mmCIF file of all heavy atoms in Angstrom:
data_model
loop_
_atom_site.group_PDB
_atom_site.id
_atom_site.type_symbol
_atom_site.label_atom_id
_atom_site.label_comp_id
_atom_site.label_asym_id
_atom_site.label_seq_id
_atom_site.Cartn_x
_atom_site.Cartn_y
_atom_site.Cartn_z
ATOM 1 N N ALA S 197 7.104 -5.469 -42.116
ATOM 2 C CA ALA S 197 7.840 -5.833 -40.903
ATOM 3 C C ALA S 197 6.951 -5.692 -39.690
ATOM 4 O O ALA S 197 6.269 -4.677 -39.578
ATOM 5 C CB ALA S 197 9.109 -4.959 -40.761
ATOM 6 N N SER S 198 6.918 -6.717 -38.900
ATOM 7 C CA SER S 198 6.080 -6.651 -37.716
ATOM 8 C C SER S 198 6.630 -5.684 -36.667
ATOM 9 O O SER S 198 7.819 -5.675 -36.371
ATOM 10 C CB SER S 198 6.009 -8.070 -37.072
ATOM 11 O OG SER S 198 5.234 -8.076 -35.911
ATOM 12 N N VAL S 199 5.721 -4.879 -36.136
ATOM 13 C CA VAL S 199 6.130 -3.983 -35.104
ATOM 14 C C VAL S 199 6.080 -4.726 -33.810
ATOM 15 O O VAL S 199 5.035 -5.190 -33.371
ATOM 16 C CB VAL S 199 5.182 -2.750 -35.056
ATOM 17 C CG1 VAL S 199 5.579 -1.811 -33.958
ATOM 18 C CG2 VAL S 199 5.176 -2.040 -36.389
ATOM 19 N N GLY S 200 7.208 -4.904 -33.138
ATOM 20 C CA GLY S 200 7.244 -5.622 -31.877
ATOM 21 C C GLY S 200 6.499 -4.896 -30.812
ATOM 22 O O GLY S 200 6.547 -3.689 -30.671
ATOM 23 N N ALA S 201 5.756 -5.617 -30.063
ATOM 24 C CA ALA S 201 5.015 -5.018 -28.934
ATOM 25 C C ALA S 201 6.007 -4.578 -27.871
ATOM 26 O O ALA S 201 6.866 -5.306 -27.519
ATOM 27 C CB ALA S 201 4.034 -6.024 -28.380
ATOM 28 N N VAL S 202 5.839 -3.354 -27.460
ATOM 29 C CA VAL S 202 6.748 -2.804 -26.447
ATOM 30 C C VAL S 202 6.202 -3.297 -25.100
ATOM 31 O O VAL S 202 5.104 -2.978 -24.727
ATOM 32 C CB VAL S 202 6.774 -1.264 -26.487
ATOM 33 C CG1 VAL S 202 7.630 -0.723 -25.390
ATOM 34 C CG2 VAL S 202 7.250 -0.807 -27.859
ATOM 35 N N LYS S 203 7.014 -4.108 -24.423
ATOM 36 C CA LYS S 203 6.588 -4.612 -23.099
ATOM 37 C C LYS S 203 6.996 -3.653 -22.016
ATOM 38 O O LYS S 203 8.127 -3.170 -21.969
ATOM 39 C CB LYS S 203 7.204 -5.978 -22.863
ATOM 40 C CG LYS S 203 6.666 -7.058 -23.821
ATOM 41 C CD LYS S 203 7.165 -8.380 -23.400
ATOM 42 C CE LYS S 203 6.583 -9.490 -24.280
ATOM 43 N NZ LYS S 203 6.974 -10.802 -23.835
ATOM 44 N N LYS S 204 6.043 -3.407 -21.153
ATOM 45 C CA LYS S 204 6.361 -2.562 -19.998
ATOM 46 C C LYS S 204 6.933 -3.414 -18.942
ATOM 47 O O LYS S 204 6.529 -4.541 -18.753
ATOM 48 C CB LYS S 204 5.061 -1.886 -19.461
ATOM 49 C CG LYS S 204 4.454 -0.916 -20.440
ATOM 50 C CD LYS S 204 3.226 -0.285 -19.836
ATOM 51 C CE LYS S 204 2.521 0.643 -20.769
ATOM 52 N NZ LYS S 204 1.303 1.213 -20.211
ATOM 53 N N PRO S 205 7.947 -2.928 -18.210
ATOM 54 C CA PRO S 205 8.498 -3.733 -17.121
ATOM 55 C C PRO S 205 7.444 -3.984 -16.076
ATOM 56 O O PRO S 205 6.642 -3.090 -15.742
ATOM 57 C CB PRO S 205 9.662 -2.913 -16.587
ATOM 58 C CG PRO S 205 9.407 -1.518 -17.056
ATOM 59 C CD PRO S 205 8.561 -1.626 -18.321
ATOM 60 N N LYS S 206 7.454 -5.207 -15.535
ATOM 61 C CA LYS S 206 6.434 -5.505 -14.498
ATOM 62 C C LYS S 206 6.805 -4.788 -13.200
ATOM 63 O O LYS S 206 7.986 -4.677 -12.824
ATOM 64 C CB LYS S 206 6.421 -7.034 -14.229
ATOM 65 C CG LYS S 206 5.857 -7.815 -15.403
ATOM 66 C CD LYS S 206 5.683 -9.254 -15.018
ATOM 67 C CE LYS S 206 5.086 -9.998 -16.176
ATOM 68 N NZ LYS S 206 4.832 -11.379 -15.865
ATOM 69 N N LYS S 207 5.768 -4.295 -12.530
ATOM 70 C CA LYS S 207 6.015 -3.608 -11.254
ATOM 71 C C LYS S 207 5.872 -4.614 -10.160
ATOM 72 O O LYS S 207 5.028 -5.517 -10.185
ATOM 73 C CB LYS S 207 4.943 -2.498 -11.092
ATOM 74 C CG LYS S 207 5.056 -1.395 -12.078
ATOM 75 C CD LYS S 207 4.030 -0.320 -11.795
ATOM 76 C CE LYS S 207 4.104 0.790 -12.806
ATOM 77 N NZ LYS S 207 3.091 1.816 -12.599
ATOM 78 N N ALA S 208 6.688 -4.484 -9.159
ATOM 79 C CA ALA S 208 6.636 -5.388 -8.022
ATOM 80 C C ALA S 208 5.383 -5.064 -7.194
ATOM 81 O O ALA S 208 5.020 -3.950 -7.035
ATOM 82 C CB ALA S 208 7.877 -5.237 -7.151
ATOM 83 N N ALA S 209 4.748 -6.161 -6.673
ATOM 84 C CA ALA S 209 3.546 -5.941 -5.878
ATOM 85 C C ALA S 209 3.968 -5.365 -4.521
ATOM 86 O O ALA S 209 5.004 -5.699 -3.983
ATOM 87 C CB ALA S 209 2.847 -7.282 -5.678
ATOM 88 N N SER S 210 3.160 -4.438 -4.058
ATOM 89 C CA SER S 210 3.537 -3.837 -2.776
ATOM 90 C C SER S 210 3.198 -4.780 -1.660
ATOM 91 O O SER S 210 2.149 -5.402 -1.661
ATOM 92 C CB SER S 210 2.760 -2.539 -2.579
ATOM 93 O OG SER S 210 1.403 -2.755 -2.425
ATOM 94 N N SER S 211 4.129 -4.879 -0.690
ATOM 95 C CA SER S 211 3.874 -5.818 0.400
ATOM 96 C C SER S 211 3.348 -5.112 1.634
ATOM 97 O O SER S 211 3.230 -5.718 2.674
ATOM 98 C CB SER S 211 5.226 -6.494 0.743
ATOM 99 O OG SER S 211 6.188 -5.542 1.102
ATOM 100 N N GLY S 212 3.044 -3.871 1.450
ATOM 101 C CA GLY S 212 2.484 -3.083 2.590
ATOM 102 C C GLY S 212 1.061 -3.489 2.919
ATOM 103 O O GLY S 212 0.403 -4.217 2.120
ATOM 104 N N GLY S 213 0.591 -3.094 4.035
ATOM 105 C CA GLY S 213 -0.790 -3.478 4.441
ATOM 106 C C GLY S 213 -1.819 -2.678 3.651
ATOM 107 O O GLY S 213 -1.516 -1.761 2.901
ATOM 108 N N GLY S 214 -3.059 -2.996 3.943
ATOM 109 C CA GLY S 214 -4.148 -2.262 3.338
ATOM 110 C C GLY S 214 -4.270 -2.537 1.849
ATOM 111 O O GLY S 214 -3.817 -3.526 1.334
ATOM 112 N N GLY S 215 -4.842 -1.546 1.159
ATOM 113 C CA GLY S 215 -5.043 -1.712 -0.271
ATOM 114 C C GLY S 215 -3.814 -1.268 -1.063
ATOM 115 O O GLY S 215 -3.186 -0.266 -0.749
ATOM 116 N N ALA S 216 -3.478 -2.013 -2.056
ATOM 117 C CA ALA S 216 -2.348 -1.684 -2.913
ATOM 118 C C ALA S 216 -2.810 -0.579 -3.844
ATOM 119 O O ALA S 216 -3.989 -0.469 -4.171
ATOM 120 C CB ALA S 216 -1.897 -2.885 -3.700
ATOM 121 N N PRO S 217 -1.933 0.287 -4.324
ATOM 122 C CA PRO S 217 -2.356 1.305 -5.259
ATOM 123 C C PRO S 217 -2.911 0.662 -6.562
ATOM 124 O O PRO S 217 -2.449 -0.411 -6.952
ATOM 125 C CB PRO S 217 -1.083 2.076 -5.540
ATOM 126 C CG PRO S 217 0.055 1.268 -5.066
ATOM 127 C CD PRO S 217 -0.501 0.341 -4.034
ATOM 128 N N ALA S 218 -3.884 1.317 -7.117
ATOM 129 C CA ALA S 218 -4.525 0.737 -8.323
ATOM 130 C C ALA S 218 -3.504 0.682 -9.452
ATOM 131 O O ALA S 218 -2.733 1.570 -9.686
ATOM 132 C CB ALA S 218 -5.700 1.601 -8.699
ATOM 133 N N ALA S 219 -3.555 -0.453 -10.192
ATOM 134 C CA ALA S 219 -2.662 -0.608 -11.347
ATOM 135 C C ALA S 219 -3.127 0.308 -12.485
ATOM 136 O O ALA S 219 -4.294 0.681 -12.531
ATOM 137 C CB ALA S 219 -2.678 -2.067 -11.804
ATOM 138 N N GLU S 220 -2.204 0.624 -13.351
ATOM 139 C CA GLU S 220 -2.513 1.500 -14.475
ATOM 140 C C GLU S 220 -3.653 0.928 -15.318
ATOM 141 O O GLU S 220 -3.642 -0.243 -15.609
ATOM 142 C CB GLU S 220 -1.293 1.666 -15.374
ATOM 143 C CG GLU S 220 -0.477 2.860 -15.054
ATOM 144 C CD GLU S 220 0.652 3.024 -16.024
ATOM 145 O OE1 GLU S 220 0.417 2.986 -17.243
ATOM 146 O OE2 GLU S 220 1.766 3.168 -15.553
#
């Protein structure tokens, strides 16, 4: 039986100024 890939929920992009926090 194939083990389904567990999808992580997408994080919304930050709309704040400057640099966005680094993605995991």
